[in-house]
Amino acid sequence: DTGVSQNPRHKITKRGQNVTFRCDPISEHNRLYWYRQTLGQGPEFLTYFQNEAQLEKSRLLSDRFSAERPKGSFSTLEIQRTEQGDSAMYLCASSSPSGPNTGELFFGEGSRLTVL
Amino acid sequence: QKEVEQNSGPLSVPEGAIASLNCTYSDRGSQSFFWYRQYSGKSPELIMFIYSNGDKEDGRFTAQLNKASQYVSLLIRDSQPSDSATYLCAVNRYGGSQGNLIFGKGTKLSVKP
């Protein structure tokens, strides 16, 4: 499978715990995005990496959230001191810098977080 | 005003009919417009993108863009039960990267056999 891979697919945690999600993008894609989606809503942009550089961050990304892409390949999204409001599907997407539509996002299957 | 607005539906059409999905956006600076399809429990997948005013056709799908009215639509001809899904309209955030998209809440489409 050469699509975007995310793990874990599901995570249940208690309030106050830290969680980390991993995303492996399509290998030739240098652009990587994190989005969050709650039930009945569209995805919301969180952050964007081009290679290893984090170029954009949403105001939604509080200081409890940190994302990294240390070698320009896989990325991690860590949430510290989780709150019940963090419960959501965390979607990773990647895109190619070339081709007819460089804005096309290829989404992974997501990591569902439930904070009890 | 919400940045990207869609009628949440559900929109129900009979098999073989034309489904019409609509979307309005608030930022006049937006340049790129996308329609994503999301099946229940799955991640979004791109079905159409449009950058210029007018119509763009791809198989059974036609996207329409009117920048003056800040309006995007998606027509699905000869609707099939397999088209039943939530359709998300997305607009590139002005000043953001190409993948920094603002999504609407989506319109749930149900195609009845």
Side-chain angles (χ1 to χ4, degrees), chain B residues 11-32:
Chain B
L11 174 65
S12 184
V13 300
E15 184 175 357
I18 296 175
S20 178
L21 305 163
N22 304 315
C23 170
T24 58
Y25 62 94
S26 60
D27 191 343
R28 287 192 173 274
S30 297
Q31 297 295 316
S32 307

Side-chain angles (χ1 to χ4, degrees), chain A residues 47-57 61 66-68:
Chain A
T47 191
Y48 159 58
F49 289 86
Q50 183 168 310
N51 299 311
E52 65 276 8
Q54 187 174 21
L55 298 183
E56 292 179 17
K57 290 172 63 174
L61 212 64
S66 62
E68 295 182 340

Side-chain angles (χ1 to χ4, degrees), chain B residues 33-50:
Chain B
F33 307 86
F34 305 85
W35 284 99
Y36 280 80
R37 177 176 62 200
Q38 187 170 28
Y39 291 112
S40 180
K42 299 294 186 181
S43 58
E45 57 178 334
L46 182 71
I47 51 173
M48 289 286 291
F49 63 90
I50 187 166

Side-chain angles (χ1 to χ4, degrees), chain A residues 9 27 101:
Chain A
R9 294 291 308 280
S27 58
N101 175 26

Side-chain angles (χ1 to χ4, degrees), chain B residues 7-21 37-40 60 74 76 78-87 106-113:
Chain B
N7 187 327
S8 60
L11 174 65
S12 184
V13 300
E15 184 175 357
I18 296 175
S20 178
L21 305 163
R37 177 176 62 200
Q38 187 170 28
Y39 291 112
S40 180
R60 297 187 295 112
L74 179 70
I76 307 174
D78 188 24
S79 296
Q80 301 297 310
S82 59
D83 294 326
S84 298
T86 295
Y87 289 80
T107 297
K108 187 171 184 178
L109 173 66
S110 177
V111 181
K112 303 294 186 185

Side-chain angles (χ1 to χ4, degrees), chain B residues 47-95:
Chain B
I47 51 173
M48 289 286 291
F49 63 90
I50 187 166
Y51 300 146
S52 304
N53 276 328
D55 295 359
K56 179 181 179 182
E57 187 174 321
D58 184 1
R60 297 187 295 112
F61 299 96
T62 299
Q64 299 173 316
L65 173 61
N66 183 326
K67 289 185 179 181
S69 300
Q70 295 174 246
Y71 176 88
V72 193
S73 66
L74 179 70
L75 299 177
I76 307 174
R77 289 180 299 281
D78 188 24
S79 296
Q80 301 297 310
S82 59
D83 294 326
S84 298
T86 295
Y87 289 80
L88 298 162
C89 174
V91 173
N92 174 246
R93 187 182 307 272
Y94 180 68

